[in-house]
Amino acid sequence: MPANHMLDIFYFAWVAERIGRRSEQVDGHYRDMTIADLLSHHAGSSPGHAAAFATPGKLRAALDQRFVPLDTLIGDATELAIFPPVTGG
Amino acid sequence: MRVVRVQPDPFDPGVELAALEALGGGAVASFTGLVRGDGGLVELELEHYPGMTEAALTQLAEEACARWPLAGVVIVHRVGPMQVGERIVLVGTASPHRAAALEACAFLIDRLKTGAPFWKRERFADGRREWVDARDSDDQAAARWHT
């Protein structure tokens, strides 16, 4: 079994609003999980998480501050961010 | 010269563009994005991902410099609440020639819209607050620069 792994998760825009927090730290066996796996695993944490993660197609992610698809393995990353598609400019 | 700034305070495009003009390139192009008052909008709020935002914008500036012969790039993006008519973003480029300056400026604003972690929320006169949805047309504009 791989060692536990602390992962900082940051939420932005309506994802943060639905969850009711902007960040949290989770501890678990995430190395071999994809971001999508983690979201479905984590959706049961609260009704807010369930609401925020209900439609993964509307979510985007960054691992260690780089945009990645949701099917990316978490691997050794220490920072995950989950957010809607960006709308700057 | 590469300048990337993310800030709550207003900025003066004249000051930013004068710095590009001082590089002696011969051509300076710029784009300024403003808050539109569509549909009764009274305030726009910009949220971002501190740290990643600056890194993403710096990477875009580096891509532009690798692709066109640029003497300078300036990207300034505001965050926080903004009123109708206020400036949101400035992209400026300096080059020896107009084509490079104009193309690099268009590249930077097209790619910034889909490649930097900003999120807009609109507040309307009737009190509604809504997150802005991403637009397919922005994805298409960014995609035209993929080689």
Side-chain angles (χ1 to χ4, degrees), chain A residues 12-75:
Chain A
F12 294 97
W14 56 254
V15 178
E17 283 184 340
R18 288 184 190 177
I19 292 175
R21 55 198 301 179
R22 307 190 69 81
S23 68
E24 60 190 320
Q25 194 170 51
V26 297
D27 183 4
H29 302 288
Y30 300 120
R31 189 177 308 271
D32 297 325
M33 290 172 83
T34 67
I35 296 165
D37 294 336
L38 182 144
L39 293 181
S40 57
H41 185 256
H42 210 41
S45 299
S46 76
H49 287 80
F53 300 159
T55 313
K58 292 188 174 177
L59 298 175
R60 301 291 181 270
L63 262 186
D64 287 340
Q65 304 198 352
R66 299 181 71 89
F67 291 110
V68 293
L70 295 186
D71 61 3
T72 305
L73 283 173
I74 292 167

Side-chain angles (χ1 to χ4, degrees), chain A residues 8-18 22 58 60-68 79-89, chain B residues 31 33 46-53 55-56 59 77 88-89 109 112-121 129 131-135:
Chain A
D8 287 310
I9 312 184
F10 294 92
Y11 303 116
F12 294 97
W14 56 254
V15 178
E17 283 184 340
R18 288 184 190 177
R22 307 190 69 81
K58 292 188 174 177
R60 301 291 181 270
L63 262 186
D64 287 340
Q65 304 198 352
R66 299 181 71 89
F67 291 110
V68 293
E79 184 172 318
L80 169 66
I82 305 294
F83 42 77
V86 301
T87 55
Chain B
F31 171 84
L46 258 291
E47 180 177 328
H48 79 123
Y49 185 172
M52 181 174 168
T53 312
Q59 192 189 332
H77 204 302
I88 308 169
V89 60
I109 189 61
L112 184 156
K113 281 184 166 281
T114 59
F118 293 101
W119 298 275
K120 288 192 181 105
R121 181 160 57 177
R129 297 177 84 195
W131 292 100
V132 172
D133 284 328
R135 291 188 306 199

